[in-house]
Amino acid sequence: METDGRPIAELELQFAERPDSDAFIPLAEAYLRAQRLMEATVVCKKGLKSHPERLDARILMARILRAQKKYPRALDQLSQALAKHPEAPEALALRGRVRLDAGDKDGLDDLRQAFDKNPNPELRKELEGLGVLAPSPPPAAPGARPPLVEPPAGALEALPAHGPASSPRSAAARPGSGVGGPPAAAFPSDPAPMRARTMPKARTPSTIRGEQALEAMAREQGGLPKKAARPWITIGLALGLAAIATVVIVWRSWEKARLEAIDALLTEARPAFDRDTAEGYAQAAARLEIILAEHDGRHPEALARLTHALAILWAEHGEEQRLPRLGQVGESARVAAAEDSDTWAGLGLLALESAKDRVEGAVAARAAMQPFAARFGEGTAVDLVLGQAELAEGEYDAAFESMELVQRGGRMPTRTRVLMAIAARKAGRFGTAKGLLDDALRSSPGHPRALATLALLELRQNRLKAARDVLESFEKQERRTPISSRTKAAALYARSEYFRRAGQEARAQGLYQEATKLDPRNADFPHGLGRWQLLVGRPKEAIQPLEQAVAIEPGRYAFLVDLAEAEMNLRRFDAADAHIDRALQLEPDFLPALLAKGRSMRRTSEPGTEAYLRQLLEERPGAKVEVKLELGRWFRSRQRFEQGQRELEDAIAAMGGRNKSVQAEVLLSYGRLMEDMGQVQTAQESYIKAAEFGDPEGWYRLSAAAYRGQQIELAKKACTQYLEAGQGLRYARNAQAICDRL
């Protein structure tokens, strides 16, 4: 897909004049060629909204996502393209390349299928390079003789005896004949290339800065004509040479000491930087400042690492006093350390956290860093901050993938694991998050942020005792080492969640207020409180904190979806639809918003609900589990139980590999449907599995079903399990009543 060669400004004008036309194709292509990937993404998404059927647009969107290393999203676009155009070789070939980029060897099959459908030379060359096809024989040079072919057996004997004979003299005269000397090709016509290949290259002795000038002076001094020499001149010359030699020796000694001092300070700064604590970054920054102040004010590594360290201290640990120095060092690093990824990681983090809206900050950060991501290759500090930007946008899976590149490269291991764990927890991948946090705490025992994140993870899975143990470990660490205000705020918020789940609402609210005072711009705190209120069936109380979260970060489309859910629970569907529409304006492909639209249609009994969900399934085959779940709920609400059963059983069959919270949600819906159909045993089995996947509502549903069926022991065990998950849960009073009656 080539652009027409026009300048980008002209293409932008054409697109602005005709935003609903196909003018987006050449403009997005031009942005992609210029590595302006954010602009390419925005333009292509707008174009796809108007032209969702365009195959070339889907392929272009996948190419843009591939350039951003967002492989799952690129594959999703290609799945949509191939669902409508299964024979498209361009889509097959690109899917193969994306799969190979993501480490999936099945990409070779896609490339082979694409070649079978369209055997073009470029794809053949690609397959030859991958070892899938044997290399083609090189074309013969103009005028070259055809290769000799061995004659059939007996052919030589069949030649006439009086045939022409070759003269020995003429054979000797032919170059390269093998007669009368070696072939002509055995020696180069010009011996110079052979000498260049065989003679070792002379090494230039290394010199220290300023030494060349001193040695040139010495050569000039020693180059006086002999006839001008006089005894006093000889003595002066000897003294002068001795002085120069002394200066050179002193210079070399000073330079050696300077370099050794820089190396020693860097050796101390690197492990302090990698500890990923406020104290560690402060120690690293202090040593890097010494390098710049006392030894080399333009030292590239010192400038780059200091930029990144100051950005982390300011952005994540609340040290506002670092901001002016960060601006100064960052400007110097742009010039003197432009080839170091830490420079752009620090500046990207500055852009991310400077914006009032973190989504706008994420766009700015990615725009600042994207040109350098390809230059530095995969696994640098730039990829880590790109992951943080995606985390701020709510793209949790994409964030995890970007950070995983850094983990493979071995950079900043503790920090990378903790940030990956945060992304995995928010994506519902609890087992992955737990493994990463355990690794981080093994390599860095008592890491404060890892402990705070682990406490929230245990609470998310309703493991109160485990969360309490982790918070006690945090308190011990807090007494031993200084901890930044924002990390303290995260731990206070985790404590508030613990007491809220334990049913101690007043104490929980006090801790929550302390957390928000320490970190007032952290939108995750009010968002988490609002989600809890939704979980326990208090949508009216959920509105205020969710609106506060949206006010702090208006561009976080995940927040808008949760606010819409609260409005739907209050039967305020106009307000809910407005929030859903806003989320889809920000991110047209955001699956939770698309599903929320379906839920709104279901709850208002819109006739087009089923058609909308079927269309969504066709466009997003990768979202089969989530869409089938909504279809099952739709049919249950219509009393069409058999159809609902089929949809939910399809969801169950496809849910392997999904995060446990999604699987639990499907199993709970299936259990309730089975109860409606009178299949109590199947319902109970489904509730048990949902509870094992981490949703305690499964225990409550099981206890209620067992109580109605007079299964006393099972009912008692289930209600006890539910109450152990927290006295503040939604059905705690009902579960307590069941336990009391038994």
Side-chain angles (χ1 to χ4, degrees):
M1 191 187 300
E2 301 290 333
T3 59
D4 53 14
R6 288 179 293 164
I8 285 180
E10 184 178 336
L11 294 170
E12 289 173 335
L13 179 61
Q14 182 185 359
F15 179 65
E17 291 173 347
R18 297 188 297 144
D20 294 333
S21 72
D22 59 0
F24 72 97
I25 294 282
L27 178 57
E29 178 70 31
Y31 281 143
L32 176 59
R33 286 177 170 274
Q35 285 296 299
R36 293 168 60 178
L37 301 181
M38 283 303 303
E39 293 99 322
T41 302
V42 171
V43 168
C44 200
K45 279 184 178 179
K46 288 182 179 178
L48 275 170
K49 195 170 183 181
S50 301
H51 305 276
E53 75 289 346
R54 288 283 297 263
L55 174 63
D56 54 349
R58 289 281 174 201
I59 292 174
L60 178 56
M61 188 74 251
R63 289 173 56 210
I64 295 166
L65 292 166
R66 182 193 179 201
Q68 295 173 307
K69 300 173 187 172
K70 296 182 175 180
Y71 303 132
R73 294 178 66 185
L75 289 172
D76 182 52
Q77 290 292 330
L78 292 168
S79 295
Q80 295 180 53
L82 288 166
K84 295 184 178 180
H85 307 275
E87 300 298 316
E90 302 92 340
L92 278 170
L94 183 56
R95 188 172 72 175
R97 295 182 187 110
V98 174
R99 282 181 167 178
L100 291 173
D101 289 344
D104 183 357
K105 297 290 182 63
D106 289 343
L108 295 173
D109 295 336
D110 285 335
L111 289 173
R112 188 189 291 276
Q113 288 182 46
F115 182 73
D116 291 341
K117 296 178 187 301
N118 181 21
N120 63 72
E122 293 80 5
L123 189 52
R124 180 180 183 87
K125 186 175 180 181
E126 185 175 355
L127 288 168
E128 288 173 1
L130 292 168
V132 177
L133 295 179
S136 304
R145 295 181 179 179
L148 293 175
V149 179
E150 190 71 24
L156 294 178
E157 290 81 355
L159 290 174
H162 57 274
S166 297
S167 165
R169 180 181 180 86
S170 64
R174 283 200 310 272
S177 65
V179 180
F187 296 99
S189 58
D190 180 5
M194 184 172 69
R195 287 197 302 272
R197 289 195 299 271
T198 57
M199 295 178 65
K201 193 174 181 180
R203 296 183 62 184
T204 304
S206 60
T207 56
I208 299 175
R209 188 170 53 188
E211 185 178 343
Q212 296 95 327
L214 294 172
E215 291 182 353
M217 290 171 58
R219 284 195 300 273
E220 185 179 343
Q221 291 280 350
L224 293 172
K226 289 186 178 181
K227 65 181 182 179
R230 295 287 187 274
W232 61 269
I233 294 178
T234 303
I235 294 170
L237 179 60
L239 292 173
L241 289 173
I244 291 172
T246 301
V247 170
V248 170
I249 292 169
V250 170
W251 181 273
R252 282 184 168 179
S253 299
W254 178 83
E255 185 72 357
K256 181 182 178 184
R258 185 181 74 89
L259 294 175
E260 287 176 349
I262 291 173
D263 187 61
L265 288 164
L266 287 174
T267 301
E268 293 175 3
R270 288 168 187 148
F273 185 92
D274 286 341
R275 283 203 299 273
D276 189 44
T277 62
E279 183 183 24
Y281 289 120
Q283 291 173 355
R287 282 151 181 78
L288 296 169
E289 291 281 18
I290 293 172
I291 293 173
L292 298 175
E294 299 181 7
H295 301 292
D296 185 354
R298 295 176 61 80
H299 191 278
E301 183 179 346
L303 284 169
R305 285 288 181 105
L306 184 58
T307 300
H308 200 179
L310 291 174
I312 292 170
L313 286 168
W314 169 73
E316 297 178 10
H317 295 285
E319 298 191 13
E320 298 291 337
Q321 75 278 10
R322 303 277 187 176
L323 185 57
R325 181 58 177 157
L326 171 57
Q328 297 168 358
V329 175
E331 286 305 311
S332 298
R334 283 179 189 271
V335 178
E339 298 304 315
D340 193 310
S341 65
D342 278 294
T343 294
W344 302 104
L347 294 174
L349 194 56
L350 175 62
L352 173 64
E353 298 293 341
S354 294
K356 292 181 179 179
D357 183 347
R358 278 173 60 82
V359 173
E360 291 179 3
V363 173
R366 289 168 63 175
M369 292 182 297
Q370 200 68 255
F372 302 94
R375 180 193 301 180
F376 297 134
E378 293 183 350
T380 68
V382 166
D383 284 316
L384 188 60
V385 181
L386 282 172
Q388 289 180 263
E390 289 163 333
L391 193 61
E393 291 177 298
E395 298 287 351
Y396 304 132
D397 289 322
F400 187 89
E401 290 170 11
S402 297
M403 295 169 183
E404 194 171 26
L405 297 174
V406 187
Q407 186 190 37
R408 291 175 193 163
R411 275 297 314 271
M412 307 170 71
T414 301
R415 177 174 176 78
T416 302
R417 289 188 183 108
V418 174
L419 287 171
M420 286 176 69
I422 292 171
R425 176 178 66 85
K426 292 188 174 185
R429 296 158 62 179
F430 301 139
T432 300
K434 180 69 162 58
L436 288 163
L437 291 170
D438 288 344
D439 288 344
L441 290 166
R442 273 193 294 271
S443 62
S444 183
H447 187 279
R449 194 176 188 187
L451 289 170
T453 304
L454 181 57
L456 289 170
L457 177 64
E458 299 289 12
L459 289 167
R460 181 69 178 80
Q461 298 176 89
N462 298 290
R463 296 203 286 250
L464 294 190
K465 185 179 182 303
R468 184 189 63 203
D469 293 343
V470 174
L471 289 170
E472 287 175 356
S473 297
F474 184 93
E475 290 172 357
K476 292 176 184 176
Q477 186 66 21
E478 192 174 13
R479 289 192 290 269
R480 285 194 292 264
T481 58
I483 293 176
S484 71
S485 60
R486 290 189 180 174
T487 305
K488 287 180 183 178
L492 284 167
Y493 172 72
R495 288 193 186 105
S496 74
E497 289 287 288
Y498 169 79
F499 285 110
R500 192 167 278 115
R501 279 166 170 73
Q504 301 183 38
E505 191 68 35
R507 189 170 182 184
Q509 191 60 23
L511 290 165
Y512 175 82
Q513 295 297 338
E514 288 184 49
T516 53
K517 284 178 184 176
L518 283 176
D519 193 1
R521 291 187 64 230
N522 192 330
D524 287 331
F525 294 170
H527 177 243
L529 175 58
R531 280 181 62 88
W532 166 257
Q533 301 288 18
L534 268 178
L535 182 67
V536 297
R538 297 199 290 258
K540 188 174 182 181
E541 290 84 347
I543 293 291
Q544 188 272 331
L546 288 173
E547 286 181 339
Q548 184 182 354
V550 170
I552 296 172
E553 294 186 24
R556 284 278 285 275
Y557 24 88
F559 292 0
L560 289 164
V561 171
D562 287 329
L563 181 55
E565 187 67 31
E567 298 284 13
M568 281 190 277
N569 286 337
L570 294 170
R571 310 294 298 173
R572 301 199 297 235
F573 291 102
D574 288 342
D577 290 342
H579 297 314
I580 294 168
D581 290 343
R582 173 61 180 154
L584 290 172
Q585 286 174 2
L586 292 167
E587 178 49 76
D589 289 333
F590 190 48
L591 180 61
L594 295 169
L595 294 170
K597 183 176 180 180
R599 286 196 298 276
S600 177
M601 296 173 70
R602 167 170 61 83
R603 288 167 174 169
T604 53
S605 300
E606 288 192 28
T609 302
E610 183 182 353
Y612 170 79
L613 292 171
R614 297 288 183 199
Q615 179 66 27
L616 181 58
L617 181 60
E618 184 180 346
E619 294 174 357
R620 302 290 295 271
K624 180 177 181 179
V625 175
E626 293 83 355
V627 178
K628 289 281 185 178
L629 170 61
E630 293 301 330
L631 280 167
R633 289 169 168 169
W634 163 253
F635 287 126
R636 179 172 178 251
S637 70
R638 303 286 95 189
Q639 303 289 309
R640 292 155 63 182
F641 296 141
E642 288 80 7
Q643 289 173 284
Q645 180 181 359
R646 285 196 295 271
E647 300 295 345
L648 289 173
E649 286 176 352
D650 284 348
I652 291 170
M655 71 184 188
R658 286 292 197 279
N659 67 63
K660 289 186 176 180
S661 60
V662 171
Q663 295 189 52
E665 197 173 359
V666 173
L667 290 165
L668 279 173
S669 290
Y670 185 66
R672 298 184 70 180
L673 179 64
M674 289 297 97
E675 273 203 274
D676 291 342
M677 298 176 71
Q679 300 183 33
V680 178
Q681 181 64 34
T682 303
Q684 290 181 349
E685 291 172 358
S686 190
Y687 292 147
I688 291 171
K689 289 180 182 177
E692 289 172 350
F693 282 138
D695 193 330
E697 186 177 337
W699 294 125
Y700 169 69
R701 296 286 174 190
L702 177 62
S703 70
Y707 180 76
R708 285 192 294 269
Q710 297 299 306
Q711 297 169 281
I712 305 302
E713 291 300 321
L714 181 59
K716 187 170 184 178
K717 178 183 176 182
C719 69
T720 302
Q721 291 270 28
Y722 181 76
L723 292 170
E724 285 179 359
Q727 295 286 336
L729 293 175
R730 180 175 187 173
Y731 302 106
R733 289 185 180 179
N734 294 352
Q736 188 64 61
I738 292 173
C739 282
D740 290 343
R741 290 171 190 166
L742 300 174

